[in-house]
């Protein structure tokens, strides 16, 4: 029903309309659990489009995520990958511009070129099939790649027009790759964030990065004063040089991170192993150490259409995350469902 309504209307208008349908725009007095819209309301509209971000805003997410990569001319744009070929029509529009590995890299295209592309639901490059079959129809090509500044304008503009204060949650993607290409993505992004007022510990922003060396550089060398989150992956996925996720997950690693960052962004299985016999969350040593170190813990990613094996439905997952494990916030493709859960379970 919601999706049908959305298609008929202007996407931006719908996000705002939904915002108006709920409670007044007063800021929650004590917001202890935060809902982070992962790539926007990406369960409903193509990830990292302004439509998905406006919808997430209307669904009352507390933070809206941006993955940031640089264009050839050094402009921060919002894309999950350093590649363009699994969310846009770059292969049709610029067939000659793939590298030898067959991939199309954002950093090989100017912003003007990137702006000619159409963004769709994520698809598999080899088959063209949508990754999440039941999400927004892939043939509805009505979206463009936003820049970081456009997205900040959208969120700050909505904050102005609604009186709310929704935060941003930018991720600095693959700094080592950008450095090899002659660009300093962290410095470029931090400059934009500071220009837009995200420059101190109380700014409504979290800057996240998987590269532990870079996170430390952002704090120490670039002297960024805002909130920082270290993302934690698995070594088997391929870790950036200077980053050992097994160490970061250890008690010593957590203590070291706590000296630099405000929070961690672990993969959900790194903090909840499953459910015990009495159906409560089994917390990992990493989670317990992080909570003892007073780090915020914002795991990724809760998806209603791809739940953890131990969770039969979203409510089971959310009870484990918030009530059993006492986690501070969650990245989700379905911010409306998490907002709804927290509204109906205020003690969670
Ligand atoms: Ca991300």
């Amino acid at each position: 029903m919601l999706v049908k309504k959305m298609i008929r209307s202007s996407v931006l208008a719908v996000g705002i309309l939904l915002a108006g349908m709920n409670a007044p725009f007063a800021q929650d007095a004590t917001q202890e659990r935060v809902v982070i819209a992962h790539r926007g309301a990406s369960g409903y509209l193509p990830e990292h489009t302004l439509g998905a971000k406006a919808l997430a805003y209307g669904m009352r997410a507390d933070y809206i995520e941006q993955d940031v990569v640089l264009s050839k001319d050094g402009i921060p744009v919002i894309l999950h990958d350093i590649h363009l070929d699994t969310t846009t029509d770059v292969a049709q529009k610029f067939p000659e511009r793939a590298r030898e590995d067959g991939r199309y890299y954002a950093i090989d295209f100017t912003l003007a070129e990137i702006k000619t592309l159409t963004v769709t639901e994520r698809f598999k490059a080899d088959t063209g099939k949508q990754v999440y079959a039941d999400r927004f129809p892939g043939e509805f090509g009505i979206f463009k790649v936003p820049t970081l500044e456009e997205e900040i304008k959208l969120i700050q503009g909505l904050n102005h027009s609604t009186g709310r204060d929704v935060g941003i949650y930018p991720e600095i993607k693959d700094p080592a790759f950008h450095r090899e290409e002659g660009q300093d993505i962290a410095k470029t992004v931090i400059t934009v964030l500071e220009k837009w007022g995200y420059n101190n510990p109380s700014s409504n922003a979290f800057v996240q990065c998987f590269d532990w060396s870079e996170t430390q550089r952002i704090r120490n060398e670039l002297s960024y004063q805002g909130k920082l989150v270290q993302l934690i992956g698995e070594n088997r996925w391929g870790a950036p040089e200077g980053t050992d996720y097994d160490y970061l997950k250890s008690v010593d690693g957590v203590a070291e991170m706590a000296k630099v960052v405000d929070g961690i962004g672990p993969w959900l299985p790194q903090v909840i192993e499953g459910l015990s016999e009495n159906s409560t969350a089994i917390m990992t040593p990493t989670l317990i150490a992080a909570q003892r170190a007073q780090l915020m813990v914002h795991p990724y990613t809760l998806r209603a259409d791809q739940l953890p094996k131990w969770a039969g439905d979203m409510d089971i997952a959310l009870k484990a995350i918030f009530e059993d494990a006492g986690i501070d916030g969650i990245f989700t493709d379905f911010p409306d469902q998490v907002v709804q859960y927290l509204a109906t379970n205020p003690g969670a």
Side-chain angles (χ1 to χ4, degrees):
M1 187 61 192
L2 186 63
V3 172
K4 278 184 192 155
K5 270 189 195 164
M6 239 154 40
I7 295 167
R8 282 202 295 269
S9 321
S10 140
V11 168
L12 284 185
V14 168
I16 297 158
L17 181 75
L18 284 170
M21 279 158 53
N22 276 321
F25 286 118
Q27 187 71 6
D28 297 354
T30 51
Q31 185 81 59
E32 291 185 340
R33 305 285 188 253
V34 298
V35 181
I36 305 150
H38 179 248
R39 312 183 199 174
S42 56
Y44 305 101
L45 283 169
E47 65 180 54
H48 287 321
T49 58
L50 290 185
K53 305 306 170 81
L55 184 59
Y57 195 104
M59 288 173 164
R60 304 184 71 82
D62 301 296
Y63 289 88
I64 298 176
E65 192 204 21
Q66 299 77 34
D67 288 312
V68 188
V69 304
L70 296 184
S71 66
K72 188 176 185 177
D73 39 351
I75 310 296
V77 296
I78 310 299
L79 282 169
H80 178 262
D81 305 330
I82 55 174
H83 309 116
L84 287 157
D85 40 87
T86 52
T87 53
T88 79
D89 58 350
V90 67
Q92 284 87 57
K93 290 216 171 94
F94 297 95
E96 312 296 314
R97 300 275 292 276
R99 289 195 186 184
E100 277 185 6
D101 61 2
R103 305 302 304 267
Y104 298 79
Y105 289 75
I107 206 150
D108 293 337
F109 293 81
T110 63
L111 178 63
E113 288 171 334
I114 290 172
K115 282 291 186 185
T116 68
L117 303 175
T118 296
V119 178
T120 61
E121 264 296 318
R122 174 169 290 276
F123 56 90
K124 291 176 184 145
D126 49 350
T127 62
K129 280 201 172 152
Q130 261 182 236
V131 172
Y132 299 97
D134 294 331
R135 293 190 179 182
F136 196 78
E139 68 273 22
F140 290 1
I142 54 174
F143 300 103
K144 297 289 178 189
V145 177
T147 65
L148 176 59
E149 286 207 293
E150 286 167 347
E151 191 155 328
I152 290 172
K153 284 179 184 171
L154 175 76
I155 294 167
Q156 291 199 358
L158 282 167
N159 284 343
H160 179 79
S161 60
T162 65
R164 292 175 63 208
D165 187 16
V166 170
I168 63 168
Y169 212 124
E171 179 184 344
I172 293 175
K173 302 293 287 200
D174 211 333
F177 168 80
H178 283 88
R179 196 167 291 120
E180 280 167 24
E181 300 289 325
Q183 304 229 36
D184 186 344
I185 184 171
K187 193 172 180 186
T188 305
V189 170
I190 296 302
T191 301
V192 171
L193 297 181
E194 290 177 342
K195 173 187 164 190
W196 286 90
Y198 302 107
N199 59 2
N200 67 74
S202 58
S203 303
N204 206 0
F206 285 93
V207 173
Q208 44 168 342
C209 192
F210 273 106
D211 184 325
W212 173 231
S213 302
E214 196 73 9
T215 303
Q216 295 172 87
R217 176 176 174 253
I218 291 166
R219 183 63 91 212
N220 300 324
E221 193 182 318
L222 301 179
S223 304
Y224 183 61
Q225 302 294 307
K227 291 188 280 287
L228 276 178
V229 163
Q230 177 60 39
L231 296 168
I232 307 174
E234 289 286 319
N235 285 345
R236 66 175 186 274
W237 303 344
E241 210 178 317
T243 303
D244 176 357
Y245 294 127
D246 286 340
Y247 172 68
L248 293 183
K249 286 189 288 183
S250 71
V251 172
D252 285 350
V254 168
E256 193 178 321
M257 288 188 292
K259 292 179 195 160
V260 178
V261 297
D262 303 277
I264 59 170
W267 186 37
L268 189 51
Q270 294 170 338
V271 287
I272 296 180
E273 287 174 15
L275 298 184
S276 67
E277 279 179 12
N278 62 355
S279 297
T280 56
I282 303 168
M283 297 163 66
T284 64
T286 304
L287 175 58
I288 293 164
Q291 290 177 334
R292 284 202 182 126
Q294 299 197 311
L295 284 164
M296 279 177 269
V297 180
H298 295 163
Y300 61 91
T301 304
L302 186 63
R303 297 181 168 104
D305 51 2
Q306 197 181 65
L307 285 162
K309 283 190 184 73
W310 48 263
D313 61 35
M314 278 289 267
D315 277 5
I316 292 171
L318 289 164
K319 176 197 168 277
I321 290 164
F322 290 120
E323 293 178 51
D324 301 344
I327 283 171
D328 304 287
I330 185 82
F331 283 90
T332 180
D333 293 0
F334 297 85
D336 56 332
Q337 297 188 31
V338 183
V339 168
Q340 175 70 25
Y341 177 87
L342 290 175
T344 49
N345 296 274

